[in-house]
Amino acid sequence: MIEFVDPRSNPEPPARVSREPAAHGEALRDLIQLCLAGRVYDVERWIQGGRPIQALTYKRTRKASVVSPLRTAIRKKHRDLVLLLLCNGYRLALEANDGNSVLDEALTIRAFDILDLLLEWGADATAVRTYNVVDTYKTDVIDRFWRAGVDYTADREFAFYLSNTVNKPLYGWLRRNRSDQRLQDALDVALLEAVTEDEELPARLLLWAGADPHRKVPMARELGRPDAWDEDALFSSASAAIAFGRHGLLHLLRIEAMPDLEAQTPHAHDSQMLKKVVAVGAPSDWSAAVLAFIRQVCPPWAPGSSWDARDALQFISSSGGKLTTVPPEEMRYLRSALLDVRASDDFLWLLRWLKKEEHCDPAIYEELTRTTSMRKKIEALNAGSRYLTPSQKMSRANDRRKRAAERKGSVTPSAEA
């Protein structure tokens, strides 16, 4: 007969007895019901009878898995039952870990006394989900698992969690421990995510915790990829605020201290953002900003408000800015985009604006308008005639071909006969 260890004798780990497990959890149905009911003395009699207290597997075909006796006791927050099982040879290594360990069970229900007991009796501290630890809002628990070897930053979801939580104890812990580069990286990536998603309160807390708004980092979704930290794929939180129009965050992100502020004007989300950036520091060359706001009303780039684009271009000209350079490879695409502008008043306004020498270098204007297609469009719209853009012509041609194919397919052999 296997020795029974009385938990009232204050046993210490490791367990001095070992028990053979059952082949399947179905054999433990009665024991599980006793644990569910919290009947400690009946469980003691079960163990004293030499019967198994755990199984090799709890999985069932096309059915939910059987909940093990230990997990049942944890979920009922019955510490005495948990200790009874552990000191009588319950092997934690046999407990299935399908993404939710016994430690996760205790963390989820905030059973911290059981958590301590499981760790004391040899539960693997690294077999926990990051979320379950950090969402306890307890810095002692967060610090304990970190020091036990749980790298929260290895979980891609950690940065996402930081970007939308108000977990102040966690931010405080990060502030105290950010000398670890892994945690500093997580703070900076989370701040970029918070700015992108317009999460102002988490952004404030991240900045307080020590996130650097000017450091270039990858987007949270890119973490884990081999090229995530390639220079061309990095962004700073301050530049994201400018590009995404996060007006309420600008003063928090200290854009006036950005090392590359001049390069941000072409990325301003709207005319008001452009004005705020320029108020801090005007660029020496406005060409990139002019092209950016012309694109706001030109396909195939993302559509924007033509009125906002006009306001931005008027602001640029009133600030002494003009279009002086266009990269050779971009000239053709810009001309093509102008041809595809459907609103005639937008097209004519842009052309009139560009035609003024104080707004655009004459050589650039001549190059943009030199083609037959461009001149035809200008003449047609100036005369008030109807004009179809190249994309409209292509769309109509595709529609005609589609209708012809449908008519051809609708003609049956008998009809032809």
Side-chain angles (χ1 to χ4, degrees):
M1 179 69 70
I2 301 172
E3 177 189 359
F4 171 75
V5 179
D6 190 341
R8 290 173 286 276
S9 64
N10 297 320
E12 295 183 355
R16 61 177 184 263
V17 296
S18 178
R19 300 176 185 276
E20 285 300 312
H24 195 278
E26 291 284 8
L28 305 176
R29 278 290 187 181
D30 291 341
L31 174 60
I32 293 168
Q33 288 301 315
L34 294 175
C35 292
L36 189 62
R39 295 165 63 177
V40 180
Y41 296 118
D42 288 333
V43 175
E44 285 185 355
R45 281 190 284 273
W46 177 287
I47 296 173
Q48 288 168 347
R51 303 171 75 177
I53 58 175
Q54 66 184 129
L56 291 174
T57 182
Y58 298 91
K59 293 183 177 180
R60 298 184 296 177
T61 304
R62 296 180 180 177
K63 291 183 179 180
S65 298
V66 176
V67 180
S68 73
L70 181 61
R71 288 179 186 266
T72 301
I74 293 171
R75 291 178 186 182
K76 296 301 291 183
K77 293 190 176 182
H78 209 308
R79 184 184 185 280
D80 292 343
L81 270 177
V82 173
L83 177 58
L84 175 62
L85 293 169
L86 291 173
C87 71
N88 278 283
Y90 200 104
R91 284 182 274 172
L92 291 168
L94 285 181
E95 192 70 15
N97 182 2
D98 52 359
N100 203 45
S101 69
V102 291
L103 292 176
D104 288 311
E105 295 275 5
L107 286 165
T108 301
I109 60 174
R110 306 296 190 263
F112 298 114
D113 56 339
I114 294 177
L115 179 73
D116 292 338
L117 188 62
L118 291 168
L119 289 168
E120 182 183 350
W121 284 83
D124 181 6
T126 62
V128 291
R129 296 174 60 191
T130 294
Y131 172 82
N132 289 334
V133 178
V134 299
D135 203 52
T136 61
Y137 281 59
K138 291 177 69 67
T139 54
D140 58 332
V141 173
I142 295 169
D143 196 62
R144 180 178 189 176
F145 280 96
W146 175 260
R147 296 187 185 284
V150 180
D151 183 2
Y152 307 134
T153 65
D155 185 343
R156 287 182 59 195
E157 296 302 314
F158 184 54
F160 286 109
Y161 177 84
L162 289 175
S163 70
N164 59 45
T165 185
V166 290
N167 188 338
K168 293 181 181 180
L170 174 59
Y171 289 125
W173 181 82
L174 288 166
R175 182 184 173 103
R176 294 189 295 275
N177 292 276
R178 66 187 180 89
S179 56
D180 188 308
Q181 189 59 48
R182 292 172 297 173
L183 296 177
Q184 184 64 59
D185 288 348
L187 282 168
D188 297 341
V189 172
L191 179 60
L192 175 59
E193 188 69 23
V195 170
T196 302
E197 296 300 320
D198 203 16
E199 296 283 355
E200 184 170 343
L201 184 52
R204 287 176 178 272
L205 290 167
L206 285 161
L207 288 165
W208 172 81
D212 184 350
H214 302 150
R215 182 186 174 211
K216 293 183 177 181
V217 293
M219 299 291 290
R221 64 175 178 270
E222 301 297 327
L223 293 177
R225 296 184 180 181
D227 57 349
W229 287 87
D230 285 359
E231 185 64 30
D232 293 340
L234 307 183
F235 308 89
S236 73
S237 299
S239 64
I242 292 170
F244 285 90
R246 306 306 183 220
H247 294 269
L249 293 172
L250 285 188
H251 68 288
L252 297 173
L253 300 171
R254 307 190 308 277
I255 66 166
E256 68 279 358
M258 290 180 69
D260 58 347
L261 180 61
E262 183 174 334
Q264 301 305 316
T265 50
H267 305 295
H269 180 266
D270 50 59
S271 61
Q272 293 304 310
M273 182 62 73
L274 175 67
K275 293 172 184 177
K276 291 178 181 179
V277 173
V278 171
V280 178
S284 56
D285 185 353
W286 291 84
S287 295
V290 172
L291 291 172
F293 281 97
I294 290 176
R295 292 189 196 104
Q296 281 200 9
V297 290
C298 292
W301 293 286
S305 165
S306 62
W307 289 105
D308 186 75
R310 293 187 191 189
D311 184 42
L313 292 171
Q314 293 282 38
F315 169 73
I316 290 172
S317 60
S318 67
S319 301
K322 65 182 293 186
L323 181 61
T324 57
T325 55
V326 178
E329 67 278 7
E330 191 169 348
M331 181 68 77
R332 181 168 59 89
Y333 294 108
L334 180 59
R335 186 188 299 116
S336 176
L338 285 169
L339 284 171
D340 269 331
V341 174
R342 296 192 177 186
S344 59
D345 58 329
D346 286 340
F347 175 82
L348 292 174
W349 189 93
L350 284 173
L351 265 291
R352 284 195 294 268
W353 189 88
L354 289 166
K355 191 173 184 179
K356 294 180 180 179
E357 189 172 345
E358 62 269 27
H359 299 165
C360 174
D361 187 289
I364 293 176
Y365 179 80
E366 288 300 322
E367 179 62 23
L368 274 175
T369 58
R370 70 173 177 80
T371 63
T372 302
S373 297
M374 184 65 83
R375 294 189 182 281
K376 282 183 178 179
K377 180 171 185 177
I378 295 171
E379 291 171 2
L381 294 181
N382 279 329
S385 303
R386 188 180 181 189
Y387 178 84
L388 293 179
T389 68
S391 61
Q392 286 175 312
K393 292 177 181 177
M394 186 177 297
S395 177
R396 293 192 175 195
N398 288 335
D399 288 342
R400 286 194 297 272
R401 283 192 289 270
K402 183 179 179 180
R403 288 195 298 270
E406 289 173 349
R407 286 194 298 271
K408 184 177 180 181
S410 66
V411 178
T412 61
S414 58
E416 290 179 347

